[in-house]
Amino acid sequence: MRTILFLSFLIISISVFAQEKYITRTGHISFFSEAPMENIEAHNHQVTSILNVTSGDMVFSMLMKGFEFEKALMQEHFNESYVESEKFPKSTFKGVIQDFDAIDLSKNGEYDVVVKGQLEIHGESKEYSIKGKLTRDGNKIQGKSKFNVKVADHGIKIPAGKVNNIAEVVEVTVDISYEPYGK
């Protein structure tokens, strides 16, 4: 019985440690909303993300209150009226790199990727297929992407009086610098 338990533990340990993971806790995600009355831009430098270079799994998590705006009033409206940060404090993305077998992230280089997964904002989840670029340089991996998010797809309502102030679609930019996890 002990032999079976030991072998089970050994197999589980090997599978866990064989999966090489890269992490950041200071990733950068920004969004830009172009509207007739005023452009809106915000930046969040407190994004946590993990990339598994064995499986191609990728996850992101960020606090919505981490977005910083040029104007304090914009930040207040964003958190209170639109994304309701008290009720929906964070946004997450869980996905996997498509055709991951064709990419060798153990070698330095630049790789065009498509990540397919679920983006949850404001308590609403939607599937996205996001084009991006991963660049391996030594023991660091840089991830970059730009994609559009339709705010209505995530249950964010724009009041009729604010339609000219806020775009229905915002451009999201991701800039992540991963380092080996636990090393």
Side-chain angles (χ1 to χ4, degrees):
M1 184 67 172
R2 285 185 182 182
T3 305
I4 293 172
L5 286 173
F6 176 74
L7 287 174
S8 298
F9 175 76
L10 185 63
I11 290 170
I12 291 170
S13 297
I14 290 171
S15 67
V16 168
F17 290 112
Q19 296 184 356
E20 195 173 352
K21 294 179 180 158
Y22 283 69
I23 188 169
T24 185
R25 290 182 179 87
T26 57
H28 176 224
I29 291 182
S30 62
F31 71 83
F32 180 76
S33 167
E34 186 174 358
M37 295 295 285
E38 183 174 30
N39 293 336
I40 300 170
E41 185 173 359
H43 297 267
N44 189 330
H45 293 276
Q46 302 171 27
V47 179
T48 299
S49 180
I50 298 174
L51 169 63
N52 184 320
V53 296
T54 304
S55 66
D57 291 333
M58 184 179 278
V59 295
F60 288 80
S61 180
M62 68 180 167
L63 292 176
M64 298 306 285
K65 283 189 174 185
F67 278 104
E68 297 174 352
F69 293 73
E70 183 179 330
K71 297 179 181 175
L73 189 57
M74 284 182 181
Q75 191 162 330
E76 184 180 321
H77 288 167
F78 172 80
N79 284 302
E80 291 177 7
S81 302
Y82 299 105
V83 297
E84 301 174 278
S85 296
E86 292 297 321
K87 189 175 180 182
F88 307 105
K90 67 180 179 177
S91 172
T92 59
F93 176 81
K94 296 176 185 173
V96 65
I97 298 170
Q98 301 299 284
D99 300 319
F100 186 68
D101 294 340
I103 300 167
D104 187 358
L105 282 175
S106 68
K107 296 179 182 173
N108 286 346
E110 194 171 272
Y111 306 92
D112 291 323
V113 296
V114 174
V115 181
K116 188 174 183 179
Q118 294 289 320
L119 175 62
E120 183 178 321
I121 303 172
H122 195 250
E124 299 282 332
S125 191
K126 179 172 173 31
E127 186 170 272
Y128 283 80
S129 198
I130 302 168
K131 292 181 181 181
K133 192 172 294 289
L134 291 175
T135 304
R136 173 81 185 238
D137 186 12
N139 69 345
K140 294 188 181 199
I141 298 174
Q142 183 78 25
K144 293 182 182 252
S145 179
K146 270 191 185 182
F147 61 98
N148 291 326
V149 172
K150 189 174 179 182
V151 295
D153 285 348
H154 295 281
I156 300 170
K157 294 175 178 54
I158 301 171
K162 300 284 186 184
V163 171
N164 287 334
N165 296 20
I166 300 167
E168 293 178 22
V169 176
V170 297
E171 180 183 70
V172 177
T173 301
V174 178
D175 188 358
I176 303 289
S177 184
Y178 293 103
E179 295 188 0
Y181 179 71
K183 293 181 183 176

